[in-house]
Amino acid sequence: MKKYFAKTFLGLCALGTSTVAFAQEAAQPAVETGLYQALKVKFIEGGADFMSSIAIVLIFGLAFCLERIIYLNLAEINTQKFLKGLEDALDKGDVESAKTLARDTRGPIASIAYQGLMRLDQGIDVVEKSIVSYGGVQGGLLEKNLSWVTLFIAMAPSLGFLGTVVGMVMAFDKIEQVGDISPTVVAGGMKVALITTIGGLIVALILQVFYNYLLTKVEALLNQMEDASVTLVDMVYKYNLKFKK
């Protein structure tokens, strides 16, 4: 999983390095029209410092989101098919085949099953405790790095509001310098304030959508883990009744 995260992170960092070029292009006279040119102009008008910070927050937030999406998608398996394979092996008393199937299958459900099968000879109570304990470990791995996503969701609008305050201060400084409160005097500072706020809110909304999607995936996997754990305990109980005296 670290390899997937490294590739994702490097790709998004490459996107981040283009932010500087993006701002430089926006500072030059515009010869083209359209949404892309308009975004470049607004980016530089919002202030390179704050807009670059907001863009960096978006890049890092997306990096963690994509890493989690890859991890959670790889954690999904055909649970019914997997459990059916375990059940068939245990019905035949072939514990080694069941262990091999669990070991060769990716995902938290297979890992939990393997831990339980490793302790099959120690009794149903030990197997159940092992499944519960290792299920908690796998649940923690599924939720790993989600706290970073929430951090970036909170940081994006905060940076935008900070830019708003700075823009207001710029406007009042301009009023103090010229001794006039006409719209043309305060327009520059007000524009910075509004653009940075919009940028921060847009980034927060984008990351919030990804975060809710990740929560949905995690909850679905946790439910599958709980159902599979109960089914596995039943399999072990039937195995003990059939093959243990």
Side-chain angles (χ1 to χ4, degrees):
M1 294 310 302
K2 292 182 179 178
K3 292 181 180 179
Y4 289 106
F5 178 73
K7 292 179 181 178
T8 303
F9 182 76
L10 289 175
L12 288 172
C13 284
L15 176 64
T17 56
S18 65
T19 302
V20 176
F22 183 87
Q24 290 175 346
E25 292 177 10
Q28 297 174 356
V31 282
E32 61 203 51
T33 58
L35 179 61
Y36 178 70
Q37 181 63 25
L39 288 175
K40 290 195 295 183
V41 173
K42 293 304 178 183
F43 183 91
I44 197 64
E45 286 179 350
D49 294 338
F50 286 102
M51 295 303 290
S52 295
S53 300
I54 293 172
I56 290 172
V57 168
L58 175 62
I59 291 167
F60 277 93
L62 288 177
F64 282 105
C65 287
L66 292 178
E67 184 272 337
R68 284 292 88 191
I69 289 173
I70 294 172
Y71 183 93
L72 295 175
N73 284 333
L74 290 176
E76 290 182 333
I77 61 171
N78 189 332
T79 306
Q80 292 183 349
K81 181 179 179 181
F82 171 72
L83 293 176
K84 185 65 169 58
L86 291 183
E87 185 177 12
D88 292 341
L90 291 177
D91 282 344
K92 299 175 183 177
D94 192 354
V95 179
E96 291 303 320
S97 294
K99 290 180 181 179
T100 301
L101 176 62
R103 185 174 58 248
D104 294 341
T105 304
R106 69 172 188 267
I109 295 176
S111 298
I112 293 170
Y114 183 73
Q115 293 297 320
L117 293 172
M118 288 291 292
R119 296 161 178 81
L120 191 61
D121 295 333
Q122 300 179 25
I124 186 69
D125 292 336
V126 175
V127 172
E128 186 173 0
K129 290 179 181 179
S130 174
I131 291 173
V132 172
S133 299
Y134 203 71
V137 174
Q138 290 296 317
L141 291 176
L142 293 178
E143 297 173 353
K144 184 180 178 182
N145 291 334
L146 289 183
S147 59
W148 286 104
V149 180
T150 58
L151 172 64
F152 293 127
I153 291 173
M155 283 182 63
S158 297
L159 288 172
F161 294 144
L162 181 59
T164 300
V165 175
V166 172
M168 296 298 293
V169 171
M170 291 170 56
F172 282 110
D173 284 343
K174 197 70 173 179
I175 293 172
E176 184 179 14
Q177 290 174 7
V178 302
D180 188 8
I181 198 172
S182 62
T184 56
V185 173
V186 301
M190 294 295 292
K191 181 183 290 187
V192 171
L194 294 175
I195 291 176
T196 54
T197 302
I198 292 172
L201 291 175
I202 290 175
V203 169
L205 288 172
I206 293 172
L207 294 180
Q208 186 66 55
V209 170
F210 278 99
Y211 180 72
N212 284 2
Y213 171 76
L214 292 173
L215 283 183
T216 302
K217 298 281 287 184
V218 170
E219 290 175 357
L221 282 170
L222 289 175
N223 288 334
Q224 291 179 17
M225 288 165 57
E226 291 177 0
D227 292 340
S229 297
V230 174
T231 303
L232 182 60
V233 171
D234 290 339
M235 291 181 188
V236 173
Y237 181 75
K238 293 177 181 178
Y239 170 83
N240 287 337
L241 288 178
K242 188 173 183 180
F243 295 99
K244 297 279 186 175
K245 292 183 181 180

